Amino acid sequence: MIINTGARTDTAQWYAPWLVRRFEEGYAMARNPLFPHKVSRYELNPSVVDCVEFCSKDYAPLLPFLSRITERFNTHFHYTITAYGRDIEPRVPSLEDSVATLLDLERLVGARRICWRYDPVLLTSTYTVARHLETFTWLTDRLAGHVDRCIFSFVEVYRKLERNFPEVGVPNAKERDELARGLGAIAAEHGLAIQTCGNNGFWPQYGIGCSGCTTLAMLGAANGVEFKELKHKGQRAGCGCFESRDIGAYDSCPNGCRYCYANQSPSLALKNYRERHDPQSPLLLGHVHKDDEVVQGAQRSLLKTQQLTLDI
């Protein structure tokens, strides 16, 4: 199985001590977001966890401890670095600091395990098409050769985004084509593979691939392992990513990104971070209560060389 640590919150940036402790103790728990009294327990054991997928905007807090995980597990890292400043990403490091941290991460895990995410691409009076292409060029100058590929996508308007960022600009068809053409050309000039994820656009004429951003082929190549050939439903409609199990929690990321789909509101996430997180708890937020229904998550290895199953 694949364990995901960063789809619901930026665990590497804000909860690094908790994350490392969970791997040292060998298990983590996650509350079902739809049925809060149901809690799943996942064993963090290399015999059934084939890869740990990270996604973060700042790995600096985790880097001093990362070897405790990478020495035991296959790993893969998504690093989001965009054009936006603190007006849209209030608690995300500067571009210069983000690039420096990515290069530090590369020295520890290698470029093959790192995907640079430049998403979501949105437009405002400040972040125009020209601004995106200028910043993307600046970043590509520094990141090409230090990452496996770049993944970008255009912003999708969820109800949470409509509430928290009502003035967001969604690129129209002409703007999407202009951006795709520019991003593809810049990537090609630097020898950087670039792709979209899922159904967020298809521009092969500009050298842009279309695939899942977390496929078994990608994870296998990054770690020198081979997965079984398995059919899957994707993480959501139109998505090519292999299913994973997230050990984080929604409404817990203090980054405050205005386009965030995982927080109801920035204030609630910050409140939960300050008041409900206990580094000693197996849950990211809060504790297991006596009336909770704790179930063992079904876990099995997907590697060709392993046939272990954990169904307790």
Side-chain angles (χ1 to χ4, degrees):
M1 72 171 296
I2 312 300
I3 286 287
N4 194 308
T5 74
R8 295 176 178 175
T9 191
D10 197 329
T11 315
Q13 181 174 355
W14 295 100
Y15 300 97
W18 175 86
L19 185 62
V20 173
R21 185 181 185 91
R22 297 315 336 131
F23 278 93
E24 289 180 340
E25 294 193 358
Y27 76 101
M29 293 186 177
R31 200 172 285 282
N32 188 313
L34 298 179
F35 305 98
H37 289 296
K38 292 187 177 182
V39 176
S40 294
R41 170 175 169 137
Y42 297 108
E43 306 306 313
L44 302 181
N45 187 311
S47 66
V48 287
V49 174
D50 301 307
C51 190
V52 182
E53 178 69 61
F54 297 84
C55 187
S56 177
K57 293 182 171 73
D58 183 13
Y59 283 94
L62 183 61
L63 292 186
F65 317 102
L66 188 57
S67 63
R68 301 183 192 179
I69 300 174
T70 57
E71 288 176 356
R72 300 178 58 222
F73 293 86
N74 295 320
T75 52
H76 191 250
F77 301 83
H78 285 201
Y79 203 136
T80 302
I81 307 177
T82 69
Y84 312 121
R86 304 232 163 161
D87 53 334
I88 292 181
E89 297 176 340
R91 297 183 182 87
V92 175
S94 67
L95 291 180
E96 292 81 2
D97 288 345
S98 295
V99 168
T101 300
L102 186 147
L103 297 179
D104 288 339
L105 176 65
E106 184 211 1
R107 282 187 278 271
L108 293 175
V109 304
R112 193 67 183 270
R113 291 184 182 178
I114 305 173
C115 288
W116 164 34
R117 299 197 67 111
Y118 188 84
D119 62 357
V121 177
L122 57 87
L123 298 177
T124 70
S125 58
T126 300
Y127 303 102
T128 60
V129 170
R131 173 74 174 270
H132 275 292
L133 297 181
E134 177 185 359
T135 307
F136 189 79
T137 299
W138 188 91
L139 287 166
T140 306
D141 283 342
R142 289 153 180 80
L143 298 180
H146 302 283
V147 296
D148 180 62
R149 69 190 70 193
C150 176
I151 301 169
F152 79 96
S153 63
F154 293 107
V155 67
E156 297 183 54
V157 179
Y158 299 90
R159 277 182 291 180
K160 294 176 185 177
L161 187 142
E162 289 180 330
R163 180 174 59 251
N164 295 323
F165 197 180
E167 72 274 25
V168 63
V170 180
N172 59 34
K174 181 180 178 181
E175 291 164 335
R176 286 184 178 220
D177 190 78
E178 185 178 356
L179 282 160
R181 183 173 66 250
L183 297 177
I186 294 164
E189 182 181 348
H190 290 79
L192 174 67
I194 186 169
Q195 67 168 78
T196 57
C197 181
N199 57 0
N200 201 261
F202 187 58
W203 293 278
Q205 68 272 32
Y206 301 138
I208 296 171
C210 182
S211 172
C213 57
T214 310
T215 66
L216 293 184
M218 185 185 300
L219 301 182
N223 291 279
V225 297
E226 190 173 2
F227 286 90
K228 302 171 186 175
E229 295 181 8
L230 299 167
K231 294 182 179 179
H232 65 96
K233 299 178 181 179
Q235 292 284 71
R236 57 191 175 92
C239 177
C241 300
F242 197 84
E243 301 103 312
S244 62
R245 295 295 177 263
D246 199 303
I247 58 174
Y250 290 113
D251 296 314
S252 64
C253 183
N255 275 331
C257 300
R258 298 191 65 195
Y259 52 75
C260 182
Y261 67 88
N263 289 339
Q264 293 287 341
S265 70
S267 59
L268 175 60
L270 192 58
K271 177 180 174 68
N272 284 337
Y273 168 72
R274 290 172 173 169
E275 299 179 7
R276 296 186 58 207
H277 175 62
D278 178 359
Q280 310 294 323
S281 173
L283 289 165
L284 186 75
L285 294 181
H287 298 83
V288 178
H289 305 297
K290 61 181 181 180
D291 57 341
D292 284 333
E293 178 187 351
V294 179
V295 297
Q296 181 73 43
Q299 297 178 253
R300 62 188 178 92
S301 174
L302 310 174
L303 297 175
K304 281 191 173 181
T305 56
Q306 289 181 285
Q307 302 292 329
L308 297 180
T309 297
L310 183 62
D311 265 319
I312 299 176

